């Protein structure tokens, strides 16, 4: 009898172990989410990161029957919010709208990054990629006869060190696009980092900042309203949203110049695969919705919704690319 009991206990233990292994996904699938989910945006409201997070959050709320709440946590070029998510439980209730800055650039730019962009996160999906656009205040452009990027370069060279360049923060593609432009055109401008595109754009329109290489979606309405003048886009090809605006290569002759941005959802490492996959599937559905798709395209964003594996591959390749840009441009944390 003791031997039979021992065998029975062993069978029960094995069954319990099997349920633990196979039941985790089922549990997560059947019960998650049971409370609101937070999407941390590591920049101030008004920028493209914020715009895209607020575009997908309502769709996820409808799909899952729980609120997906956008929470802006700006600071340190996106590192403050990213670090907060990296150190959160991997339970599916805290997500990050990551960027090319937080996951492609900052590891090469910051000597002591408080998180590992690879080990500390589970990539979910790329939401969208966007070109940056070189913009100047419309009033300043009229006053100084600036109609092209070449005109701006002439002005900057006539006033060495007198002009300044705004960005959404150290390490963002907005910052790096400007640094690359400075290094390849031989002009000097003081870099002024903000806590997001929103506040930087306010100062740009007000004339406190002379130029910005902003993400196209956050600058688009100000361009259309005539408050900002677009001189060039930083992508390899022209943007369908601004077809009359040349690329940097076309405008200035900088062959191969390209500095585009991207934005995607990530979760803390250890988040159940089933939860990651479910979020990716719903984001992809939302981005395929004609209304949302067309709105993003009109703002200059190119929707994606790719798989977690594809997004992970992109992050790795982007890190290698931007590490070289940091080196070539001589960019540093101010």
């Amino acid at each position: 009898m003791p031997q039979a009991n021992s065998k029975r206990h062993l069978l029960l233990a094995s069954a319990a172990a099997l349920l633990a292994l196979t039941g985790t996904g089922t549990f997560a699938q059947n019960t998650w989410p049971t409370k609101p989910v937070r999407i941390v945006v590591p920049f101030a409201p008004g920028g493209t990161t914020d715009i895209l997070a607020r575009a997908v959050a309502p769709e996820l709320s409808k799909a899952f029957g729980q609120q997906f709440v956008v929470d802006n946590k700006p600071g340190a070029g996106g590192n403050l919010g990213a670090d907060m998510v990296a150190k959160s439980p991997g339970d599916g209730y805290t997500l990050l709208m990551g960027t090319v800055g937080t996951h492609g650039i900052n590891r090469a730019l910051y000597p002591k990054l408080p998180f590992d962009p690879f080990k500390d996160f589970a990539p979910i999906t790329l939401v969208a990629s966007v070109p940056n656009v070189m913009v100047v205040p419309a009033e300043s452009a009229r006053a100084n006869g600036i109609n092209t990027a070449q005109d701006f370069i002439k002005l900057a060279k006539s006033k060495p060190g007198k002009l300044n360049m705004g960005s959404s923060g150290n390490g963002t593609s907005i910052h790096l696009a400007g640094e690359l432009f400075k290094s390849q055109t031989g002009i000097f401008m003081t870099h002024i980092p903000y806590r997001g595109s929103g506040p930087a754009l306010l100062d740009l329109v007000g004339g406190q900042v002379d130029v910005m290489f902003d993400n196209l979606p956050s600058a688009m309405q100000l361009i259309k309203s005539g408050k900002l003048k677009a001189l060039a886009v930083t992508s390899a090809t022209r943007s369908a949203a601004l077809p009359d605006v040349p690329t940097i290569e076309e405008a200035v002759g900088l062959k191969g110049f390209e500095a585009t941005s991207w934005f995607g959802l990530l979760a803390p490492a250890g988040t159940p695969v089933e939860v990651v996959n479910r979020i990716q599937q719903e984001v992809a559905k939302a981005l395929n919705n004609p209304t949302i798709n067309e709105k993003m395209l009109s703002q200059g964003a190119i929707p994606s919704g790719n798989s977690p594996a594809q997004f992970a591959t992109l992050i790795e390749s982007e890190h290698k690319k931007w590490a070289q840009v940091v080196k070539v441009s001589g960019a540093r944390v101010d």
Side-chain angles (χ1 to χ4, degrees):
M1 286 295 291
Q3 189 173 2
N5 284 336
S6 179
K7 285 182 179 179
R8 188 162 58 250
H9 286 309
L10 184 60
L11 285 170
L12 287 171
S14 299
L18 184 61
L19 281 171
L21 286 171
T22 60
T24 303
T26 304
F27 174 79
Q29 248 181 341
N30 290 341
T31 64
W32 179 91
T34 59
K35 60 181 181 179
V37 176
R38 179 170 63 157
I39 300 177
V40 174
V41 170
F43 296 98
T48 299
T49 320
D50 184 66
I51 290 170
L52 292 175
R54 294 181 189 280
V56 299
E59 302 304 311
L60 292 174
S61 297
K62 285 188 283 187
F64 291 108
Q66 287 287 347
Q67 286 297 308
F68 279 67
V69 182
V70 174
D71 187 9
N72 297 87
K73 296 292 181 183
N79 291 339
L80 184 66
D83 186 48
M84 179 185 301
V85 176
K87 293 177 171 56
S88 296
D91 55 11
Y93 290 99
T94 304
L95 309 176
L96 174 73
M97 182 59 84
T99 71
V100 64
T102 60
H103 282 75
I105 297 172
N106 287 0
R107 195 178 191 186
L109 191 63
Y110 286 81
K112 293 183 180 179
L113 203 62
F115 60 88
D116 188 313
F118 302 111
K119 295 179 181 177
D120 292 342
F121 292 89
I124 298 174
T125 188
L126 174 68
V127 173
S129 56
V130 306
N132 291 350
V133 58
M134 181 182 182
V135 283
V136 295
E139 286 189 16
S140 174
R142 285 191 291 270
N144 293 288
I146 300 172
N147 293 304
T148 67
Q150 286 284 20
D151 292 336
F152 182 85
I153 293 170
K154 289 177 185 176
L155 178 67
K157 287 186 174 180
S158 71
K159 298 181 176 182
K162 297 290 179 66
L163 302 186
N164 55 50
M165 174 186 80
S167 84
S168 54
N170 285 311
T172 60
S173 73
I174 297 170
H175 171 204
L176 266 289
E179 293 294 344
L180 193 60
F181 186 82
K182 285 163 57 179
S183 69
Q184 292 190 10
T185 57
I187 63 175
F188 173 73
M189 297 183 288
T190 302
H191 173 224
I192 302 178
Y194 287 78
R195 291 165 69 88
S197 282
L201 285 167
L202 285 174
D203 276 4
L204 181 66
V205 170
Q208 287 81 32
V209 178
D210 298 300
V211 68
M212 191 170 167
F213 292 77
D214 193 35
N215 302 142
L216 185 49
S218 49
M220 182 63 81
Q221 289 305 315
L222 292 170
I223 294 169
K224 287 183 175 179
S225 68
K227 294 180 179 178
L228 293 180
K229 183 174 182 60
L231 301 181
V233 291
T234 64
S235 45
T237 58
R238 294 193 183 199
S239 169
L242 289 177
D244 296 330
V245 177
T247 66
I248 291 287
E249 181 172 339
E250 290 173 326
V252 186
L254 298 179
K255 191 169 179 60
F257 189 102
E258 184 179 6
T260 54
S261 300
W262 52 259
F263 308 83
L265 284 172
L266 303 103
T271 300
V273 174
E274 293 82 1
V275 171
V276 168
N277 288 339
R278 287 182 68 202
I279 296 172
Q280 182 273 325
Q281 289 160 10
E282 293 301 334
V283 170
K285 284 181 190 176
L287 296 178
N288 281 325
N289 179 305
T291 302
I292 295 173
N293 189 281
E294 288 168 17
K295 183 177 180 181
M296 284 193 177
L297 289 172
S298 69
Q299 292 176 326
I302 303 169
S304 177
N306 64 1
S307 71
Q310 289 169 327
F311 188 27
T313 299
L314 173 70
I315 291 171
E316 188 174 348
S317 65
E318 284 287 284
H319 167 68
K320 292 175 182 176
K321 167 190 166 181
W322 285 99
Q324 185 63 23
V325 172
V326 169
K327 182 178 179 181
V328 169
S329 67
R332 60 186 177 83
V333 176
D334 297 327

